Amino acid sequence: MIDHYQEQTLGQPGFSRADFGENFMWGTSTAAYQIEGAHEAEGKGPSIWDVFSGKRGKVKQNHNGNLACDFFNRYSDDLALVQSLAIPNFRFSLSWARLLPEGRGRANPAGVSYYNRLIDHCLELNITPWITLYHWDLPHELEKKGGWANRDILGWFQEYAALCVKLFGDRVKHWMVLNEPMVFTGAGYFLGVHAPGRRGFGSFIPAVHHAALCQAEGGRTIREFLPDAEVGTTFSCSHIEPLRPLEKDMKAAVRVDALLNRLFLEPSLGLGYPLQDLKFMRRIEKYMQAGDEEKLMFDFDFIGVQNYTREVVKYAFWTPFVQANLVPPKKRNVPYTLMNWEVYPEAIYHILQKFSHYKGIKKLIVTENGAAFADTLQDGKVHDPERVEFLQRYLAQVLRAKQDGAKVHGYFVWSLVDNFEWAEGYDPRFGLVHVDFDTQQRTVKSSGYWYRNFLSKR
Ligand code: GAL
């Protein structure tokens, strides 16, 4: 496969890797359910995403992750791609249900062996593995017991986290506890558009509180077993702006910002939930037990910032709770990607600045940034100039933020390969590498070559 790489001449931006400093960490990110496939291979239990995507009408075109990129069987070729693209850090998540098919109890030896081989192979190729403990694929057995809405998840998650660090902590130094808790609670337990497909406040509010507790508990568990590990967690972050300079729009923007950017971060920093700006979330206090305020806190070594876009917000009387609507980019006549997300590179600058102002945050790493476009394979090549431009423009803003004092220390592209984009199925392609989902053939896109050239010139 590597023999077929073709050198391509691509425009380089007016900055280089060296401008970010020697120790800046460069990588690419993935997640288990989106790439692994092998959904019931070798003792793996079902996850909520297996069950959700198996129901008709939940995912576009009824796609599912049963095969995905078949990374479970092809990880060695895919890591060779990572190496050939000169990417030093590889972020992936562990499938809880592959390691613990019932969610707890006896570990699945084949699952353990798979992650051991994956980690060992990373190290053999001189690629640093970065592990996310939870990227949305809760074991279905635990969902049957209430999932994130059941406070017992604190114990289940602690057991799972302890197992992972004991198994892999001798070789893995970079850990992230949760991937984007706002998305998996909001989309999964409030809107019902992601697994497990639950709706309403009754599920959402306890799920938020338990995820926030597990976020800190997971951090403590990793640190207890691995005092030298770099422990982080990741957040979905969007830069928020009011549509008009009207007080009602500005107040709506404050509420949306508190919900999307602050809800999970601030309690970890000891600032509590931002209930002043989110009055409708006050019923979360009903789920708080004595000592929870301390239990929500954890001193993370780094915070993973995942930014794709900005959101423009308008006051909306009829929208329950938050009384705000997002004004889509189409209506604002601005460029957007296949996800209908505005291309707005300054967003990442503002987010990095905003997060850098929190005293409690030591270090930021952009653990995801990227874009979906309609890439096509033509004559064995995938030419994706929009993605190259997107990455260059966002990176320029990361550099500007760094030069203006933001505490940013790394940048990971989402994603290595095109993959299963949750409720959107396989159509939005985010990869640096194109995947033909009929044949599993990989083709490095122009953006992949661009990233390699960028990383190779120091
Ligand atoms: C993030 C998520 C990833 C990926 C990406 C692109 O929210 O962590 O799994 O899907 O968005 O939509």
Side-chain angles (χ1 to χ4, degrees):
M1 201 192 316
I2 292 164
D3 299 343
H4 295 133
Y5 285 176
Q6 296 152 37
E7 194 60 46
Q8 308 210 355
T9 326
L10 293 161
Q12 290 295 326
F15 56 85
S16 73
R17 176 178 178 167
D19 296 321
F20 292 80
E22 252 313 292
N23 300 325
F24 200 82
M25 285 180 268
W26 298 95
T28 185
S29 292
T30 63
Y33 188 71
Q34 296 181 273
I35 61 169
E36 282 182 358
H39 72 299
E40 47 187 16
E42 301 183 15
K44 177 181 167 290
S47 79
I48 53 175
W49 269 97
D50 291 310
V51 173
F52 185 77
S53 64
K55 292 182 187 156
R56 285 199 71 75
K58 299 293 180 190
V59 174
K60 283 203 182 140
Q61 299 177 64
N62 294 312
H63 286 166
N64 60 53
N66 292 0
L67 181 59
C69 311
D70 196 24
F71 183 81
F72 181 79
N73 294 305
R74 295 169 192 263
Y75 70 86
S76 139
D77 288 348
D78 286 344
L79 290 179
L81 279 169
V82 175
Q83 189 192 39
S84 73
L85 296 180
I87 303 174
N89 296 288
F90 180 59
R91 173 177 173 230
F92 58 94
S93 73
L94 305 176
S95 155
W96 187 342
R98 196 180 292 291
L99 287 166
L100 291 167
E102 312 264 300
R104 50 199 298 230
R106 228 179 72 80
N108 170 28
V112 175
S113 149
Y114 162 66
Y115 287 116
N116 273 328
R117 283 179 280 125
L118 173 60
I119 291 164
D120 289 344
H121 202 56
C122 283
L123 298 173
E124 275 157 30
L125 298 182
N126 228 345
I127 297 164
T128 306
W130 291 56
I131 286 184
T132 313
L133 285 179
Y134 185 75
H135 202 128
W136 305 358
D137 46 355
L138 187 75
H140 178 59
E141 285 305 312
L142 299 182
E143 177 57 27
K144 287 205 258 175
K145 299 188 172 86
W148 287 100
N150 182 346
R151 193 174 168 113
D152 288 348
I153 196 154
L154 265 75
W156 307 332
F157 190 73
Q158 203 279 334
E159 180 187 331
Y160 165 61
L163 174 77
C164 297
V165 284
K166 280 188 215 159
L167 287 170
F168 311 122
D170 57 336
R171 286 153 292 156
V172 179
K173 296 292 165 231
H174 298 87
W175 294 81
M176 285 145 285
V177 180
L178 300 182
N179 183 74
E180 301 188 350
M182 187 55 220
V183 178
F184 78 74
T185 56
Y189 286 77
F190 183 70
L191 298 171
V193 296
H194 275 191
R198 285 161 69 176
R199 282 202 177 94
F201 248 50
S203 302
F204 175 64
I205 299 275
V208 166
H209 186 49
H210 303 146
L213 285 165
C214 284
Q215 173 178 278
E217 190 56 36
R220 277 187 289 276
T221 305
I222 301 169
R223 187 157 294 154
E224 185 191 331
F225 289 96
L226 301 173
D228 296 331
E230 283 272 294
V231 189
T233 197
T234 78
F235 298 109
S236 46
C237 320
S238 294
H239 172 56
I240 310 293
E241 282 178 26
L243 180 68
R244 304 158 294 189
L246 302 176
E247 200 184 336
K248 57 183 184 173
D249 282 3
M250 292 195 279
K251 284 189 170 162
V254 168
R255 290 192 294 278
V256 172
D257 179 56
L259 185 67
L260 299 188
N261 295 322
R262 298 167 51 202
L263 185 60
F264 286 89
L265 170 68
E266 294 192 356
S268 78
L269 299 173
L271 303 170
Y273 291 114
L275 299 180
Q276 266 309 90
D277 293 320
L278 279 181
K279 301 223 167 32
F280 67 90
M281 289 289 297
R282 286 206 169 143
R283 57 183 104 165
I284 203 163
E285 286 171 342
K286 209 175 98 191
Y287 296 89
M288 301 271 283
Q289 295 183 6
D292 275 7
E293 258 149 45
E294 286 72 49
K295 283 192 191 146
L296 285 165
M297 288 162 63
F298 182 72
D299 187 19
F300 286 103
D301 296 309
F302 71 91
I303 292 298
V305 163
Q306 317 205 140
N307 172 260
Y308 292 85
T309 191
R310 82 166 157 178
E311 298 294 355
V312 171
V313 168
K314 181 180 167 188
Y315 172 74
F317 177 77
W318 295 108
T319 305
F321 310 117
V322 69
Q323 293 200 302
N325 282 348
L326 305 180
V327 186
K330 249 178 246 177
K331 287 210 171 149
R332 291 182 277 121
N333 248 325
V334 291
Y336 53 92
T337 69
L338 221 56
M339 297 294 284
N340 293 322
W341 296 342
E342 182 184 0
V343 177
Y344 189 73
E346 290 84 353
I348 206 162
Y349 174 86
H350 294 304
I351 282 291
L352 290 170
Q353 289 293 5
K354 176 185 171 75
F355 275 42
S356 292
H357 286 128
Y358 285 99
K359 275 210 196 79
I361 294 185
K362 296 182 189 152
K363 202 153 79 172
L364 299 171
I365 294 187
V366 178
T367 38
E368 287 184 24
N369 171 241
F373 294 108
D375 306 318
T376 51
L377 184 63
Q378 274 171 336
D379 304 326
K381 290 183 186 159
V382 180
H383 188 49
D384 60 341
E386 300 108 314
R387 184 172 294 98
V388 175
E389 192 193 330
F390 182 99
L391 295 175
Q392 286 183 351
R393 292 178 62 205
Y394 273 70
L395 264 180
Q397 294 296 327
V398 174
L399 181 59
R400 178 162 82 96
K402 188 173 158 55
Q403 288 167 343
D404 289 351
K407 307 169 188 166
V408 58
H409 291 261
Y411 177 91
F412 286 57
V413 175
W414 182 269
S415 181
L416 174 66
V417 281
D418 295 337
N419 58 46
F420 177 78
E421 180 48 35
W422 307 114
E424 302 300 313
Y426 289 98
D427 277 359
R429 292 174 176 272
F430 275 92
L432 295 168
V433 177
H434 178 273
V435 177
D436 177 329
F437 290 104
D438 294 327
T439 62
Q440 290 296 335
Q441 172 76 38
R442 272 62 165 158
T443 306
V444 178
K445 303 180 191 176
S446 314
S447 57
Y449 290 114
W450 172 78
Y451 198 37
R452 181 189 65 175
N453 291 349
F454 174 78
L455 294 176
S456 303
K457 286 191 194 116
R458 284 168 184 264

PDB file of all heavy atoms in Angstrom, residues 31 34 135-136 179-180 183 306 308 339 341 368 414 421-422 430, ligand 1:
ATOM      1  N   ALA A  31     -12.025   6.891  16.994  1.00  0.00           N
ATOM      2  CA  ALA A  31     -12.805   6.321  18.103  1.00  0.00           C
ATOM      3  C   ALA A  31     -13.204   4.897  17.748  1.00  0.00           C
ATOM      4  O   ALA A  31     -13.472   4.596  16.577  1.00  0.00           O
ATOM      5  CB  ALA A  31     -14.058   7.148  18.347  1.00  0.00           C
ATOM      6  N   GLN A  34     -16.332   3.996  15.628  1.00  0.00           N
ATOM      7  CA  GLN A  34     -16.328   4.594  14.293  1.00  0.00           C
ATOM      8  C   GLN A  34     -15.395   3.873  13.319  1.00  0.00           C
ATOM      9  O   GLN A  34     -15.537   4.019  12.115  1.00  0.00           O
ATOM     10  CB  GLN A  34     -15.948   6.076  14.400  1.00  0.00           C
ATOM     11  CG  GLN A  34     -16.987   6.862  15.184  1.00  0.00           C
ATOM     12  CD  GLN A  34     -16.641   8.338  15.293  1.00  0.00           C
ATOM     13  OE1 GLN A  34     -15.927   8.745  16.202  1.00  0.00           O
ATOM     14  NE2 GLN A  34     -17.142   9.143  14.376  1.00  0.00           N
ATOM     15  N   HIS A 135     -15.599   6.751  24.481  1.00  0.00           N
ATOM     16  CA  HIS A 135     -16.027   7.539  23.316  1.00  0.00           C
ATOM     17  C   HIS A 135     -17.388   6.998  22.862  1.00  0.00           C
ATOM     18  O   HIS A 135     -17.546   6.463  21.773  1.00  0.00           O
ATOM     19  CB  HIS A 135     -14.975   7.476  22.207  1.00  0.00           C
ATOM     20  CG  HIS A 135     -15.038   8.601  21.214  1.00  0.00           C
ATOM     21  ND1 HIS A 135     -13.945   9.372  20.868  1.00  0.00           N
ATOM     22  CD2 HIS A 135     -16.064   9.100  20.489  1.00  0.00           C
ATOM     23  CE1 HIS A 135     -14.295  10.273  19.961  1.00  0.00           C
ATOM     24  NE2 HIS A 135     -15.582  10.128  19.715  1.00  0.00           N
ATOM     25  N   TRP A 136     -18.363   7.047  23.790  1.00  0.00           N
ATOM     26  CA  TRP A 136     -19.792   6.937  23.498  1.00  0.00           C
ATOM     27  C   TRP A 136     -20.390   5.537  23.380  1.00  0.00           C
ATOM     28  O   TRP A 136     -21.600   5.397  23.194  1.00  0.00           O
ATOM     29  CB  TRP A 136     -20.168   7.722  22.233  1.00  0.00           C
ATOM     30  CG  TRP A 136     -19.772   9.156  22.269  1.00  0.00           C
ATOM     31  CD1 TRP A 136     -19.170   9.837  23.294  1.00  0.00           C
ATOM     32  CD2 TRP A 136     -19.945  10.118  21.219  1.00  0.00           C
ATOM     33  NE1 TRP A 136     -18.961  11.147  22.941  1.00  0.00           N
ATOM     34  CE2 TRP A 136     -19.419  11.346  21.675  1.00  0.00           C
ATOM     35  CE3 TRP A 136     -20.502  10.047  19.936  1.00  0.00           C
ATOM     36  CZ2 TRP A 136     -19.427  12.507  20.899  1.00  0.00           C
ATOM     37  CZ3 TRP A 136     -20.509  11.194  19.158  1.00  0.00           C
ATOM     38  CH2 TRP A 136     -19.978  12.416  19.634  1.00  0.00           C
ATOM     39  N   ASN A 179     -14.953  11.418  26.098  1.00  0.00           N
ATOM     40  CA  ASN A 179     -15.036  12.215  24.887  1.00  0.00           C
ATOM     41  C   ASN A 179     -16.354  12.983  24.885  1.00  0.00           C
ATOM     42  O   ASN A 179     -17.432  12.378  24.905  1.00  0.00           O
ATOM     43  CB  ASN A 179     -14.986  11.335  23.643  1.00  0.00           C
ATOM     44  CG  ASN A 179     -14.993  12.179  22.372  1.00  0.00           C
ATOM     45  OD1 ASN A 179     -13.979  12.796  22.043  1.00  0.00           O
ATOM     46  ND2 ASN A 179     -16.130  12.260  21.693  1.00  0.00           N
ATOM     47  N   GLU A 180     -16.252  14.299  24.917  1.00  0.00           N
ATOM     48  CA  GLU A 180     -17.405  15.193  24.731  1.00  0.00           C
ATOM     49  C   GLU A 180     -18.664  14.781  25.495  1.00  0.00           C
ATOM     50  O   GLU A 180     -19.659  14.377  24.899  1.00  0.00           O
ATOM     51  CB  GLU A 180     -17.725  15.300  23.239  1.00  0.00           C
ATOM     52  CG  GLU A 180     -16.576  15.839  22.411  1.00  0.00           C
ATOM     53  CD  GLU A 180     -16.971  16.119  20.968  1.00  0.00           C
ATOM     54  OE1 GLU A 180     -18.075  15.731  20.562  1.00  0.00           O
ATOM     55  OE2 GLU A 180     -16.180  16.751  20.253  1.00  0.00           O
ATOM     56  N   VAL A 183     -22.048  16.097  24.319  1.00  0.00           N
ATOM     57  CA  VAL A 183     -22.669  15.491  23.138  1.00  0.00           C
ATOM     58  C   VAL A 183     -23.328  14.155  23.496  1.00  0.00           C
ATOM     59  O   VAL A 183     -24.472  13.895  23.125  1.00  0.00           O
ATOM     60  CB  VAL A 183     -21.667  15.331  21.976  1.00  0.00           C
ATOM     61  CG1 VAL A 183     -22.340  14.647  20.790  1.00  0.00           C
ATOM     62  CG2 VAL A 183     -21.110  16.688  21.562  1.00  0.00           C
ATOM     63  N   GLN A 306     -12.102  20.280  21.452  1.00  0.00           N
ATOM     64  CA  GLN A 306     -12.504  19.756  20.144  1.00  0.00           C
ATOM     65  C   GLN A 306     -13.381  20.801  19.486  1.00  0.00           C
ATOM     66  O   GLN A 306     -14.508  21.045  19.917  1.00  0.00           O
ATOM     67  CB  GLN A 306     -13.198  18.409  20.322  1.00  0.00           C
ATOM     68  CG  GLN A 306     -12.397  17.570  21.347  1.00  0.00           C
ATOM     69  CD  GLN A 306     -12.526  16.066  21.260  1.00  0.00           C
ATOM     70  OE1 GLN A 306     -11.527  15.386  21.436  1.00  0.00           O
ATOM     71  NE2 GLN A 306     -13.703  15.546  21.008  1.00  0.00           N
ATOM     72  N   TYR A 308     -14.854  22.614  15.871  1.00  0.00           N
ATOM     73  CA  TYR A 308     -15.085  22.518  14.428  1.00  0.00           C
ATOM     74  C   TYR A 308     -15.625  23.817  13.854  1.00  0.00           C
ATOM     75  O   TYR A 308     -15.408  24.110  12.704  1.00  0.00           O
ATOM     76  CB  TYR A 308     -16.081  21.377  14.138  1.00  0.00           C
ATOM     77  CG  TYR A 308     -15.500  20.004  14.434  1.00  0.00           C
ATOM     78  CD1 TYR A 308     -15.546  19.461  15.719  1.00  0.00           C
ATOM     79  CD2 TYR A 308     -14.874  19.280  13.435  1.00  0.00           C
ATOM     80  CE1 TYR A 308     -14.984  18.215  15.985  1.00  0.00           C
ATOM     81  CE2 TYR A 308     -14.308  18.030  13.691  1.00  0.00           C
ATOM     82  CZ  TYR A 308     -14.369  17.512  14.967  1.00  0.00           C
ATOM     83  OH  TYR A 308     -13.806  16.285  15.233  1.00  0.00           O
ATOM     84  N   MET A 339     -21.356  18.720   7.124  1.00  0.00           N
ATOM     85  CA  MET A 339     -22.093  18.572   8.379  1.00  0.00           C
ATOM     86  C   MET A 339     -22.984  19.790   8.631  1.00  0.00           C
ATOM     87  O   MET A 339     -23.599  19.895   9.695  1.00  0.00           O
ATOM     88  CB  MET A 339     -21.128  18.434   9.558  1.00  0.00           C
ATOM     89  CG  MET A 339     -20.244  17.208   9.513  1.00  0.00           C
ATOM     90  SD  MET A 339     -21.151  15.662   9.688  1.00  0.00           S
ATOM     91  CE  MET A 339     -21.489  15.637  11.433  1.00  0.00           C
ATOM     92  N   TRP A 341     -21.777  22.679   9.175  1.00  0.00           N
ATOM     93  CA  TRP A 341     -21.052  23.470  10.165  1.00  0.00           C
ATOM     94  C   TRP A 341     -20.294  24.564   9.440  1.00  0.00           C
ATOM     95  O   TRP A 341     -19.587  24.292   8.449  1.00  0.00           O
ATOM     96  CB  TRP A 341     -20.056  22.599  10.941  1.00  0.00           C
ATOM     97  CG  TRP A 341     -20.692  21.523  11.769  1.00  0.00           C
ATOM     98  CD1 TRP A 341     -21.996  21.455  12.162  1.00  0.00           C
ATOM     99  CD2 TRP A 341     -20.050  20.359  12.291  1.00  0.00           C
ATOM    100  NE1 TRP A 341     -22.190  20.319  12.907  1.00  0.00           N
ATOM    101  CE2 TRP A 341     -21.022  19.634  13.003  1.00  0.00           C
ATOM    102  CE3 TRP A 341     -18.746  19.857  12.241  1.00  0.00           C
ATOM    103  CZ2 TRP A 341     -20.757  18.432  13.657  1.00  0.00           C
ATOM    104  CZ3 TRP A 341     -18.459  18.666  12.894  1.00  0.00           C
ATOM    105  CH2 TRP A 341     -19.457  17.966  13.594  1.00  0.00           C
ATOM    106  N   GLU A 368      -9.320  17.328  18.685  1.00  0.00           N
ATOM    107  CA  GLU A 368     -10.024  17.104  17.416  1.00  0.00           C
ATOM    108  C   GLU A 368     -10.233  18.417  16.704  1.00  0.00           C
ATOM    109  O   GLU A 368     -10.618  19.415  17.321  1.00  0.00           O
ATOM    110  CB  GLU A 368     -11.421  16.481  17.633  1.00  0.00           C
ATOM    111  CG  GLU A 368     -11.419  15.040  18.031  1.00  0.00           C
ATOM    112  CD  GLU A 368     -12.835  14.460  18.140  1.00  0.00           C
ATOM    113  OE1 GLU A 368     -13.773  14.996  17.504  1.00  0.00           O
ATOM    114  OE2 GLU A 368     -12.997  13.476  18.869  1.00  0.00           O
ATOM    115  N   TRP A 414      -9.009  15.355  13.301  1.00  0.00           N
ATOM    116  CA  TRP A 414     -10.068  14.368  13.161  1.00  0.00           C
ATOM    117  C   TRP A 414     -10.340  14.230  11.681  1.00  0.00           C
ATOM    118  O   TRP A 414     -10.789  15.195  11.091  1.00  0.00           O
ATOM    119  CB  TRP A 414     -11.365  14.789  13.884  1.00  0.00           C
ATOM    120  CG  TRP A 414     -12.390  13.707  13.736  1.00  0.00           C
ATOM    121  CD1 TRP A 414     -13.328  13.575  12.748  1.00  0.00           C
ATOM    122  CD2 TRP A 414     -12.539  12.561  14.588  1.00  0.00           C
ATOM    123  NE1 TRP A 414     -14.047  12.425  12.918  1.00  0.00           N
ATOM    124  CE2 TRP A 414     -13.581  11.785  14.031  1.00  0.00           C
ATOM    125  CE3 TRP A 414     -11.896  12.104  15.740  1.00  0.00           C
ATOM    126  CZ2 TRP A 414     -13.992  10.579  14.612  1.00  0.00           C
ATOM    127  CZ3 TRP A 414     -12.309  10.918  16.302  1.00  0.00           C
ATOM    128  CH2 TRP A 414     -13.351  10.172  15.744  1.00  0.00           C
ATOM    129  N   GLU A 421     -19.779   8.148  10.817  1.00  0.00           N
ATOM    130  CA  GLU A 421     -20.021   9.445  11.461  1.00  0.00           C
ATOM    131  C   GLU A 421     -21.370   9.422  12.202  1.00  0.00           C
ATOM    132  O   GLU A 421     -22.295  10.143  11.897  1.00  0.00           O
ATOM    133  CB  GLU A 421     -19.930  10.562  10.409  1.00  0.00           C
ATOM    134  CG  GLU A 421     -20.162  11.978  10.897  1.00  0.00           C
ATOM    135  CD  GLU A 421     -19.403  12.390  12.158  1.00  0.00           C
ATOM    136  OE1 GLU A 421     -18.264  11.949  12.357  1.00  0.00           O
ATOM    137  OE2 GLU A 421     -19.983  13.151  12.939  1.00  0.00           O
ATOM    138  N   TRP A 422     -21.476   8.536  13.175  1.00  0.00           N
ATOM    139  CA  TRP A 422     -22.640   8.463  14.076  1.00  0.00           C
ATOM    140  C   TRP A 422     -23.970   8.508  13.307  1.00  0.00           C
ATOM    141  O   TRP A 422     -24.097   7.778  12.334  1.00  0.00           O
ATOM    142  CB  TRP A 422     -22.528   9.579  15.138  1.00  0.00           C
ATOM    143  CG  TRP A 422     -21.191   9.544  15.841  1.00  0.00           C
ATOM    144  CD1 TRP A 422     -20.213  10.494  15.774  1.00  0.00           C
ATOM    145  CD2 TRP A 422     -20.641   8.504  16.698  1.00  0.00           C
ATOM    146  NE1 TRP A 422     -19.113  10.115  16.534  1.00  0.00           N
ATOM    147  CE2 TRP A 422     -19.350   8.909  17.103  1.00  0.00           C
ATOM    148  CE3 TRP A 422     -21.124   7.277  17.167  1.00  0.00           C
ATOM    149  CZ2 TRP A 422     -18.541   8.134  17.940  1.00  0.00           C
ATOM    150  CZ3 TRP A 422     -20.317   6.505  18.002  1.00  0.00           C
ATOM    151  CH2 TRP A 422     -19.055   6.937  18.382  1.00  0.00           C
ATOM    152  N   PHE A 430     -14.387  12.486   6.915  1.00  0.00           N
ATOM    153  CA  PHE A 430     -13.500  13.370   7.675  1.00  0.00           C
ATOM    154  C   PHE A 430     -12.022  12.983   7.549  1.00  0.00           C
ATOM    155  O   PHE A 430     -11.160  13.634   8.116  1.00  0.00           O
ATOM    156  CB  PHE A 430     -13.842  13.303   9.167  1.00  0.00           C
ATOM    157  CG  PHE A 430     -14.963  14.210   9.624  1.00  0.00           C
ATOM    158  CD1 PHE A 430     -16.278  13.780   9.659  1.00  0.00           C
ATOM    159  CD2 PHE A 430     -14.670  15.506  10.056  1.00  0.00           C
ATOM    160  CE1 PHE A 430     -17.295  14.610  10.111  1.00  0.00           C
ATOM    161  CE2 PHE A 430     -15.685  16.337  10.515  1.00  0.00           C
ATOM    162  CZ  PHE A 430     -16.998  15.892  10.537  1.00  0.00           C
TER     163      PHE A 430
HETATM  164  C1  GAL B   1     -16.819  14.821  17.491  1.00  0.00           C
HETATM  165  C2  GAL B   1     -16.710  13.375  17.909  1.00  0.00           C
HETATM  166  C3  GAL B   1     -16.092  12.488  16.888  1.00  0.00           C
HETATM  167  C4  GAL B   1     -16.447  12.845  15.456  1.00  0.00           C
HETATM  168  C5  GAL B   1     -16.380  14.324  15.201  1.00  0.00           C
HETATM  169  C6  GAL B   1     -16.890  14.778  13.852  1.00  0.00           C
HETATM  170  O1  GAL B   1     -17.904  15.416  18.124  1.00  0.00           O
HETATM  171  O2  GAL B   1     -15.937  13.275  19.077  1.00  0.00           O
HETATM  172  O3  GAL B   1     -16.411  11.178  17.224  1.00  0.00           O
HETATM  173  O4  GAL B   1     -17.590  12.251  15.051  1.00  0.00           O
HETATM  174  O5  GAL B   1     -17.109  15.026  16.166  1.00  0.00           O
HETATM  175  O6  GAL B   1     -18.267  14.928  13.874  1.00  0.00           O
END
